[in-house]
Amino acid sequence: MIPNIEKRKEDITRRICHLWGDTTEQQIKLITDHLIIEKFRKGDIIYKEFERPKYMMCLIDGKVKVHKDGINKRNQIVRVIKPTDFFGLRAYFANEDYRTTAEAFEKSTVAFIPFNVLVQLIKENYHISLYLISQLSIKLGDADQRTINLTQKHIRGRLAEALLFLKDSYGLEEDGYTLSIYLSREEMANLSNMTTSNAIRTLSAFADEKIIAIDGRKVKILNEKELQNISQRG
């Protein structure tokens, strides 16, 4: 059993290092020796607000949402994590506690790398530094754009953008129409910065207009071009 676990850890380490670029066998061994792999069920908390960051995380499989309680405890999904995304870094490098909570959307596997190991690797390997700077910069730009969209777009524009965002993040099922993530109406509202009742009404309106089709939590995108038009019009 132990050899299988170690082989799994080494395989995951090599997947991570492939993203970073050139890494030595010694560095791969260092990560493998300290790597922690944990499985989470839907709704499990991976880290929570006000905790002190100890690990950089990489989603191996599954789906994760990062959310925060705002005014009047209203929950806002600030981003979603897809496989091979790194998360949990910003708070550590800002020398802060977490300002958000990460929660599994569905069954998920997460790899944890201790920050003391990561810092050692950053000092040794500039490829890792450049990769992490690039990723943090991209996420900052995405966060800025999302903030503008969520505050300036009307309800229809925000929901259209959320549906396209989910498609871009997680893709479609084999039928080529159905989003490969199933959100509750409340989660859809939290992603779109609106009330649950507004999300329900707007989803129903999109369905009446044959832009989408709804079957429980499943959403089919029937007219992506019109969704894009609605999103762009705001």
Side-chain angles (χ1 to χ4, degrees), residues 4 9 17 23 25-26 34 42 53-54 70 72 80 95 124 130 139-140 149 157 160-161 192 198 213 216 220:
N4 288 338
K9 288 174 65 175
C17 290
T23 46
E25 288 299 317
Q26 184 177 1
H34 292 86
K42 178 179 171 60
K54 297 178 181 178
N72 298 322
V80 298
N95 194 28
E124 294 177 0
L130 289 175
K139 291 182 187 303
L140 177 60
N149 292 340
E161 180 187 306
S192 309
N198 279 337
K220 287 186 178 182

Side-chain angles (χ1 to χ4, degrees), residues 58-198:
C58 180
L59 182 62
I60 304 305
D61 56 58
K63 300 178 179 71
V64 169
K65 63 179 176 180
V66 177
H67 59 87
K68 182 177 178 62
D69 284 337
I71 297 172
N72 298 322
K73 296 294 182 180
R74 182 175 173 183
N75 189 280
Q76 177 70 53
I77 297 176
V78 295
R79 64 183 168 277
V80 298
I81 309 297
K82 58 184 184 296
T84 71
D85 277 353
F86 294 93
F87 60 108
L89 289 87
R90 191 212 62 81
Y92 175 81
F93 288 113
N95 194 28
E96 297 176 348
D97 294 338
Y98 286 120
R99 294 186 180 184
T100 55
T101 296
E103 179 183 335
F105 261 138
E106 60 179 41
K107 285 184 184 178
S108 299
T109 304
V110 179
F112 295 79
I113 300 174
F115 276 117
N116 64 314
V117 172
L118 181 65
V119 170
Q120 179 180 336
L121 292 167
I122 287 172
K123 290 178 179 178
E124 294 177 0
N125 190 327
Y126 77 93
H127 292 287
I128 298 173
S129 304
L130 289 175
Y131 180 86
L132 295 178
I133 291 170
S134 172
Q135 291 301 301
L136 287 170
S137 300
I138 290 169
K139 291 182 187 303
L140 177 60
D142 290 343
D144 288 346
Q145 187 62 53
R146 216 168 128 59
T147 298
I148 292 170
N149 292 340
L150 290 176
T151 54
Q152 295 189 0
K153 287 186 177 183
H154 296 294
I155 287 175
R156 284 173 62 88
R158 295 204 301 269
L159 189 60
E161 180 187 306
L163 293 170
L164 293 169
F165 174 68
L166 292 172
K167 173 186 173 291
D168 291 341
S169 297
Y170 294 125
L172 302 171
E173 295 188 350
E174 291 182 0
D175 64 4
Y177 296 97
T178 305
L179 292 174
S180 62
I181 181 170
Y182 309 149
L183 300 187
S184 68
R185 301 299 185 265
E186 181 180 5
E187 288 171 328
M188 192 69 75
N190 293 341
L191 185 63
S192 309
N193 190 30
M194 63 180 68
T195 64
T196 303
S197 59
N198 279 337

